[in-house]
Amino acid sequence: MTTEDLKAPFGVIDMGSNGIRFGIVTALSRHLPVAYEERAPISLLEALDDQYRIPSEVMDQVITSFLRFKALCQDARVEPNNVRVIATEATRIASNSKDFIQRIHDATGWSVTLLSKQEEALISASGIVGSFHEVNGLTMDLGGGSVEISYVMTSNDPLEPHIRVSPNPVSLPYGAAALKKRLAICTSNEEIESLYQEIVSKLTTALELAQLPPSLSTKDGYKVYMSGGGFRCLGYLSMAVKAQDSLAPRKRPNRKQVYPIPIINGYTMTTDELRYLSEFYSRKDPQVLMKKLKVFRISKRRASMIPASCFLMCAILQVFQIRQAYFSEGGVRQGFCYQLLPIKEKRKDPLLEGVKAYTSQSHYALDSLEFDSIFAILANALPEIYLSPTHPLQLHRLLPAAIHLSNLTSHYPKETRAFVSFHMPLASGPLANVPGLTHRERAILSILLTYRQGGSVPDPIFYSVQGLVGRKGISVCKYVGRLMELVFAVSPLQPGIGLIKSGLSFTTIQDDSTLPIEEEEEDSSSNSEDDEDDNEGDNISVKEVEQVDDYPTMQLRITLPQTHSPLIDSPAVMAVIESLDKKVNTKKFDMDEDRRRLNCPNLFSIDIVRK
């Protein structure tokens, strides 16, 4: 595959086994910006006849789709030689593959690169890396014709390779469409069990060949990053199940019960959730699911493949000890683009690059001096542990992102500022397509921005999003967001800089013995299950997310300047300062999606003195 002369904008076609994906990439930047993408619902694998030939009429459909994309590329000013076509399993096994590739070339002038199994596994893993900030775990890509298994380790240490992958990535012929066919011809439970044991055997061999580094595993098992349509449909199904608390989503779902972030990238499941879901659906009738399963982003054809995907997942869980599954939108197209990036670009954070690209279009974006001033003020008002890269809230990444975004809605009508800010990182906001975020991280960023602009918003999903953050996480977000509100209140046109010039200063006093964690007394009218933590954030256990040592308590002393200052002593600003402790510790809006009290602890106290 020649890539040396490829320049943006360029087109990429992923001719997969279960569909053909087209994309126009605008720049070789870490957040992989795409101007346009679409999918042609052509399943080459299902179209193969008994002699494994691609029928002529299907070839015609493919070529028509290619010619449509060629016209779109012309509209986007993509040069004809700046389009790459990549083919995978179905084209690889087709007996008339050469004729098919030649017809495409004759009609479009484009050459088709047919990936080997090992190349497909590597490029799939690269697509997963491209959709996250850091990846350290197994990677699995379930397409229509095959499943690719590898591992990935990333490092930002300049003395180490940025990305390490398995020297022996494995591609197995158990894609969702292929496995659906195999299951359909089984006539007895014995044949189904024989197929299952065949898959387990192949997966066991794949595990041995992968040579997994011991550092990837914990006592609870491996993280696994899943991509491909076969796995992604399990993620969407899980969202529907989670929202309705039922393994079988209702035909007419309650609109009040919706998962708050319907984005597949960054969605997570525990191994127990994967197992329960897979066991429940692995023996379902595909035809019944086609007719009755009504789930967002799952088509009828995809619904018919769910039993096959779950059948495979049961075997995977038997062979691999998995503790957490992360779903990725990254595929062959994203992997191809990621591999084109220079190493310096690969090491960047896709979230921060995406946020900076978005804010650069606004007249209200902060300049570098304002950003640095605000970051210094807020970092000085937090215990160091909160900005550690290992802290579960990930504020070392999310706080800079929040600061970059903190002024974008300040010119909106007052009642809309928090509302618009709340939605920015969510599925309904302009950052929905920015990679590098788990759902919990999206929720944390959303709550930070909400409290920066005043607090709770009248939105049905507000409490559901809070539920993803966790009790102690909400307390921290509220504190940081309210401090940002104060920074902008003092000097809205020179935020940060104005506060420093005003003479107002922050002093932190960290003393756990003098600042006990206070939790609101239990409301006798609330649900008896309040003591259970339903706000674990992406279903990670409370022990992992909210260990006491990760959330030290602290007192903040705000020292007012000795001399009178209009910037500080005006009634509007003093009202913000004097109410800060109360607003940071209020529990009025601390509820989950079921309106049950979260009992968030008081981690921070604030007092005010004058020099």
Side-chain angles (χ1 to χ4, degrees), residues 269-279 317 322-323:
M269 294 177 68
T270 64
T271 184
D272 286 340
E273 290 172 329
L274 271 174
R275 181 173 289 107
Y276 294 150
L277 195 72
S278 299
E279 289 177 353
L317 291 173
I322 294 171
R323 67 183 175 94

Side-chain angles (χ1 to χ4, degrees), residues 85-123:
V85 184
I86 306 164
T88 56
E89 177 75 2
T91 307
R92 193 162 54 228
I93 65 174
S95 58
N96 58 343
S97 177
K98 289 184 178 179
D99 293 339
F100 180 40
I101 291 172
Q102 186 61 48
R103 283 191 60 179
I104 291 173
H105 184 271
D106 292 345
T108 65
W110 296 332
S111 298
V112 176
T113 299
L114 187 57
L115 298 180
S116 67
K117 290 185 176 183
Q118 289 71 26
E119 288 172 333
E120 184 176 354
L122 177 59
I123 205 169

